[in-house]
Amino acid sequence: MVDADGRLPLPWLAAALDEALRTQRGHALLVHGPQGIGQFELGLTLAQSWLCEAAPVGAPLQPACGRCASCHLVQARSHPDLLVLLPEALRESLGWDTADEGDADKASKAKPSKELKVEAIRGAVAFAQTTSARGRGKVVLLHPAERMNGISANTLLKTLEEPPGAARFILSSGAPDGLLPTIRSRCQALALALPATDEATRWLAAHQVAQPEGLPPPAGAQPLQALEWARDGVDAVAWLRLPKQLAAGDAGGLAAWPLPRLLEALHKLCHDALCLACGAAPRYFPPAAMPPAMPLYGLMRWASALSTASRHGEHPWNQPVMVESLVQQAREALAPPRAGRSPSVHSAR
């Protein structure tokens, strides 16, 4: 959202924000683009701009001022005409964990949900049908919109088909194909492009991310994703060292990585190893960082084992034991083929 000095949270969103304010005329907007470039931040900034009270009612829409009473309420997460719907598992990381929601989550022993639940969607529908408290309309922001299950999506669809007069909906998504076609057809679409590399690099440098160009592509072009990797302890040096470290069976430092992050890294490494074994160029690691002579039969078994492990990546495993197991699997897959055994596709069957 726009801060008190009028600055955007992500500078590359300025053009998209201006376009949305200039062209958006419907009651629902779908903001979509690659993960890690700021769909949620743009949706929140757009909502703040719609609710901003700096300009008279009826004046051409402008980016939020960041200083009026309405903007301060948005910044404090307490605007009465703004409802932000997030899965429980994302509230804290996105800085939208209100006191009531936090107490409710702590009181429950259930694992935080990754879905936008139907109860929350029904609450949003009821919210949209009430009168605006400050006279600038009401806004509902859903992120990530593809996390609605079938019941939730159909509940929202009924409201999009017969929208309340003063309410607007913003659906933020990194995977719009995961939405019902009927929902997409009722939203005006705003596609976000990847930011320029130099702009993303400057932003990452300002957030103390060293050598973002050394992180896995396309992290350098998806700055929020690169920042997440850096905060999880994955820097460019650790990333480039990873293939040969695993080929040597060295688990040093990997136990500190969050398990879902480690599994993602292993999938990327396995992808590149399979590419090289089949004569294609790697995507995530430079060829010089990869171990030589990786057998195809072992890589195929490794890919299957990683798929199985990923389905349970957030299970409360014993982290050090799980990491040791994953490193051992990687070492066996990345080791040179044994004499007398052909690294063919048929030998993997």
Side-chain angles (χ1 to χ4, degrees):
M1 71 190 78
V2 176
D3 63 18
D5 294 325
R7 293 186 299 245
L8 288 173
L10 305 172
W12 57 86
L13 297 179
L17 176 62
D18 289 340
E19 179 184 350
L21 291 172
R22 186 179 69 254
T23 63
Q24 207 279 332
R25 295 292 180 267
H27 62 280
L29 179 68
L30 173 59
V31 179
H32 65 92
Q35 296 281 5
I37 61 173
Q39 292 93 325
F40 174 72
E41 288 76 9
L42 177 61
L44 186 56
T45 303
L46 182 58
Q48 182 185 12
S49 299
W50 284 339
L51 297 171
C52 180
E53 298 170 355
V57 176
L61 292 173
Q62 299 291 329
C65 70
R67 296 179 298 275
C68 68
S70 177
C71 286
H72 287 317
L73 287 169
V74 174
Q75 293 159 1
R77 279 83 167 151
S78 59
H79 199 294
D81 293 327
L82 173 62
L83 180 63
V84 176
L85 294 188
L86 300 166
E88 294 169 357
L90 290 181
R91 287 177 188 160
E92 184 176 356
S93 63
L94 290 175
W96 209 271
D97 195 8
T98 65
D100 291 342
E101 291 169 338
D103 292 344
D105 290 346
K106 290 174 185 176
S108 172
K109 294 184 180 179
K111 184 179 179 181
S113 174
K114 293 185 177 182
E115 291 188 341
L116 290 170
K117 296 181 178 179
V118 65
E119 294 82 2
I121 301 299
R122 288 171 180 159
V125 171
F127 170 84
Q129 292 172 343
T130 59
T131 304
S132 169
R134 299 185 66 88
R136 299 283 176 142
K138 310 195 81 168
V139 184
V140 177
L141 171 59
L142 297 88
H143 173 83
E146 68 271 14
R147 296 282 183 89
M148 290 185 289
N149 59 31
I151 299 174
S152 300
N154 282 308
T155 301
L156 178 65
L157 177 60
K158 295 175 183 177
T159 300
L160 296 182
E161 290 172 338
E162 300 177 4
R168 292 177 174 178
F169 290 82
I170 303 173
L171 281 66
S172 165
S173 176
D177 290 344
L179 291 169
L180 292 177
T182 45
I183 286 183
R184 296 200 305 268
S185 68
R186 285 161 175 79
C187 297
Q188 183 175 339
L190 177 64
L192 299 185
L194 292 171
T197 302
D198 57 344
E199 189 173 33
T201 301
R202 286 196 303 270
W203 183 85
L204 287 167
H207 287 77
Q208 288 77 51
V209 177
Q211 298 178 275
E213 66 279 359
L215 288 171
Q222 296 172 232
L224 298 183
Q225 187 178 79
L227 185 60
E228 289 179 3
W229 281 79
R231 287 174 174 171
D232 286 339
V234 186
D235 58 17
V237 174
W239 181 257
L240 295 176
R241 187 176 60 230
L242 183 65
K244 293 180 180 179
Q245 175 184 347
L246 290 171
D250 179 9
L254 298 182
W257 293 23
L259 189 55
R261 183 70 69 210
L262 177 58
L263 285 167
E264 182 181 356
L266 293 176
H267 272 290
K268 293 180 187 296
L269 176 55
C270 185
H271 169 278
D272 277 10
L274 284 167
C275 285
L276 287 174
C278 295
R283 179 184 180 191
Y284 302 106
F285 294 89
M290 299 294 291
M294 295 168 289
L296 185 58
Y297 60 85
L299 296 175
M300 293 175 67
R301 285 203 304 268
W302 186 32
S304 177
L306 285 175
S307 296
T308 300
S310 294
R311 288 196 291 269
H312 309 287
E314 298 194 6
H315 185 83
W317 304 106
N318 182 311
Q319 177 95 355
V321 173
M322 185 63 173
V323 169
E324 286 289 346
S325 175
L326 292 171
V327 170
Q328 177 65 19
Q329 291 174 1
R331 188 193 67 78
E332 293 174 357
L334 298 173
R338 295 192 294 271
R341 188 169 186 182
S342 174
S344 65
V345 175
H346 297 289
S347 63
R349 295 177 181 174

